[in-house]
Amino acid sequence: MADVREAPSKPEAVASLGLPQATALILGSIIGVGIFNLPYSLASIGPISIVAMVLTTVGAVALAMMFASLSRRLPADGGPYAYARAGFGNGTGFLNAWSYWITAWAGNAAIVTGWVFYVEKFVNTGHVAGWSIVIALVGLWIPAAINLSGVKNTGAVQLWTSIVKYVPLALMSTVGLLAISSGNFTPWNVSGESDLRAIGSAMAICLFSYLGVEAAAVAAAKVRDPERNIPKATLLGTLGASVVYLLSMVAVFGAVPTTELAKDENKASYSVAADAMVGGGTWAGTLVALAVIVSGIGALNGWIMICAEMPLAAAKDGLFPAVFGRISRRGVPAPSIIASTVLGSVAMAVSFMGTSGATVFNTLVLMTGITAAVPYAFSALAQLKWRLRDRRELHTPRFARDATVAVLALIFSVLFIWCSRNTGAENWYEVWGPFLMAGVAMLLGIPVYLRMRTRMTDPPPVPPYH
């Protein structure tokens, strides 16, 4: 066997997350600040974006069902990376680990950039770029410090912030529906493109709000009784998010004209909608902004854990440098947490220094859609491969359901990649910017792969269906 370098086994990571904490990890990772910034990001497309959200929700639920099934068979740390590696070998495993890691730290940059929109309702109201960067750094490194303090603290913060963030969305999804004016849904499509193209463009942006359906599978080593808790948490968290997502989006677009949502001073879309729903004043929007600030901290708390778990799992298998597998005395992969947060900080700073903050923010969002869709697609292919093998070897229940869900997940993954263009941009390099950024980030993984390929352990055998 090749020279194998295993990650140090002492001290070991601690499995401290029960079903409530694992569900909160899913819910908290999905509901960050993406949904709260969506109306502003989608205002250039129009209320037709609601159709895109419905279709994206179908894809997200299919992904959740698929990851629930895969985690029962292979409750391995690393989730999508582990499935791709077990199904197609180390080369594909490295591609998926690297791609997902990019998704995680670049996604954190996008989350914290959107989070600043709501913080600046209270401070730096003039949006001075230097101070925006300082605020964003605080937003990134506080959750990093929580993660460094131990898994138990991370889980507790995730649980309570998930409760806080769910309240404004639940209110918007119920009481907010009473403030809808049908006239605000026209014009339906303001993008200047066909309805089909407009829906596709909006879907790519909507996907960012659903990243995290796989969070519990990625952090399998931190979850108690993973075979039982990961599938339940994945489905409960995704369904809980999807209900409030769809209803609150309808409420926001119905309560505020699209022309108002598109204004730069209205980036904090849900605060604007809350003020409109109560008939004026700013108290409702202020409360929503405070909830979103808490929501952002919770999302970053969860995503920083996920950021560290993927390279940790890959390092244990010899695919990533051994430093990513080092566990601190508090039972967390400290080097992975720090490295991922540093990369997120750099990407965030670049987004604030761009000539057009909105364009660069959307480019980051679309880039993460591309890099997330790669491991999603390979997970679907692994599921199809294994379920077809099951079908040949023995009669297994739920074959039609699992195969249909995997095909849907694969189709949506491909669609998300294709639709991840800045369609509203004027120059070709802005239109294809997400692909260029994702491509460069992926190419940076080549020297790492070449260095590590002789040190990789063999993929584990795939357990039989049960």
Side-chain angles (χ1 to χ4, degrees), residues 23-32 34-36 38 53-54 56-58 60-61 64 162 165-170 172-173 206-214 232-250 270 295:
T23 303
L25 178 62
I26 294 285
L27 197 62
S29 299
I30 294 175
I31 303 176
I35 182 63
F36 295 107
L38 264 189
M53 180 57 93
V54 171
T56 307
T57 299
V58 172
V61 172
S162 294
K165 74 176 63 180
Y166 203 78
V167 171
L169 285 172
M172 199 75 73
S173 303
C206 289
L207 171 64
F208 181 73
S209 296
Y210 273 115
L211 293 183
V213 296
E214 70 294 335
K232 286 184 178 180
T234 299
L235 289 172
L236 287 172
T238 303
L239 290 173
S242 64
V243 171
V244 293
Y245 269 17
L246 288 171
L247 293 177
S248 67
M249 278 278 287
V250 171
Y270 273 65
S295 173

Side-chain angles (χ1 to χ4, degrees), residues 385-398:
K385 175 183 177 179
W386 295 334
R387 294 302 278 122
L388 288 170
R389 185 192 66 186
D390 296 335
R391 188 72 166 177
R392 288 194 301 268
E393 293 179 357
L394 72 161
H395 176 71
T396 56
R398 298 187 292 274

Side-chain angles (χ1 to χ4, degrees), residues 78-106:
Y81 147 73
Y83 311 142
R85 179 172 179 256
F88 305 104
N90 280 329
T92 304
F94 178 86
L95 169 68
N96 281 265
W98 190 262
S99 183
Y100 192 87
W101 190 42
I102 294 168
T103 300
W105 58 256

Side-chain angles (χ1 to χ4, degrees), residues 234-417:
T234 299
L235 289 172
L236 287 172
T238 303
L239 290 173
S242 64
V243 171
V244 293
Y245 269 17
L246 288 171
L247 293 177
S248 67
M249 278 278 287
V250 171
V252 172
F253 272 102
V256 184
T258 303
T259 52
E260 289 296 312
L261 290 174
K263 292 180 178 178
D264 281 346
E265 61 266 28
N266 291 337
K267 290 177 181 178
S269 312
Y270 273 65
S271 287
V272 174
D275 287 336
M277 288 171 183
V278 298
T282 60
W283 66 269
T286 297
L287 289 176
V288 169
L290 290 170
V292 175
I293 290 169
V294 173
S295 173
I297 292 293
L300 289 163
N301 179 65
W303 271 104
I304 286 172
M305 172 189 276
I306 296 166
C307 257
E309 289 301 313
M310 184 61 73
L312 170 64
K316 287 179 178 177
D317 299 327
L319 276 69
F320 270 35
V323 65
F324 288 103
R326 292 179 184 165
I327 303 298
S328 73
R329 285 180 295 178
R330 294 188 176 273
V332 298
S336 291
I337 292 171
I338 293 170
S340 300
T341 309
V342 168
L343 288 168
S345 299
V346 172
M348 170 276 299
V350 170
S351 77
F352 276 110
M353 291 186 291
T355 53
S356 172
T359 298
V360 180
F361 173 75
N362 281 347
T363 300
L364 273 174
V365 167
L366 294 168
M367 170 191 168
T368 60
I370 296 167
T371 53
V374 171
Y376 287 172
F378 275 100
S379 296
L381 290 171
Q383 174 75 323
L384 287 170
K385 175 183 177 179
W386 295 334
R387 294 302 278 122
L388 288 170
R389 185 192 66 186
D390 296 335
R391 188 72 166 177
R392 288 194 301 268
E393 293 179 357
L394 72 161
H395 176 71
T396 56
R398 298 187 292 274
F399 172 80
R401 185 200 68 182
D402 288 348
T404 301
V405 166
V407 168
L408 273 175
L410 180 60
I411 291 171
F412 274 93
S413 298
V414 173
L415 280 175
F416 286 138
I417 293 175

Side-chain angles (χ1 to χ4, degrees), residues 190-203:
V190 299
S191 68
E193 299 181 318
S194 68
D195 286 355
L196 190 60
R197 283 184 175 273
I199 290 170
S201 300
M203 280 178 64

Side-chain angles (χ1 to χ4, degrees), residues 40-181:
Y40 170 68
S41 296
L42 296 172
S44 61
I45 298 172
I48 195 173
S49 302
I50 295 169
V51 177
M53 180 57 93
V54 171
L55 295 175
T56 307
T57 299
V58 172
V61 172
L63 286 168
M65 292 177 66
M66 181 185 73
F67 283 122
S69 175
L70 284 167
S71 65
R72 278 191 293 267
R73 183 194 288 262
L74 194 67
D77 201 15
Y81 147 73
Y83 311 142
R85 179 172 179 256
F88 305 104
N90 280 329
T92 304
F94 178 86
L95 169 68
N96 281 265
W98 190 262
S99 183
Y100 192 87
W101 190 42
I102 294 168
T103 300
W105 58 256
N108 281 351
I111 289 171
V112 81
T113 301
W115 178 78
V116 169
F117 293 165
Y118 283 85
V119 176
E120 291 184 342
K121 187 175 176 67
F122 305 100
V123 296
N124 193 34
T125 54
H127 309 295
V128 178
W131 282 112
S132 295
I133 292 172
V134 171
I135 294 167
L137 286 172
V138 172
L140 280 171
W141 285 95
I142 287 178
I146 294 169
N147 271 262
L148 289 168
S149 72
V151 179
K152 186 175 181 180
N153 291 338
T154 303
V157 169
Q158 200 66 16
L159 181 60
W160 288 106
T161 56
S162 294
I163 293 170
V164 171
K165 74 176 63 180
Y166 203 78
V167 171
L169 285 172
L171 290 173
M172 199 75 73
S173 303
T174 51
V175 179
L177 295 175
L178 302 176
I180 288 176
S181 171

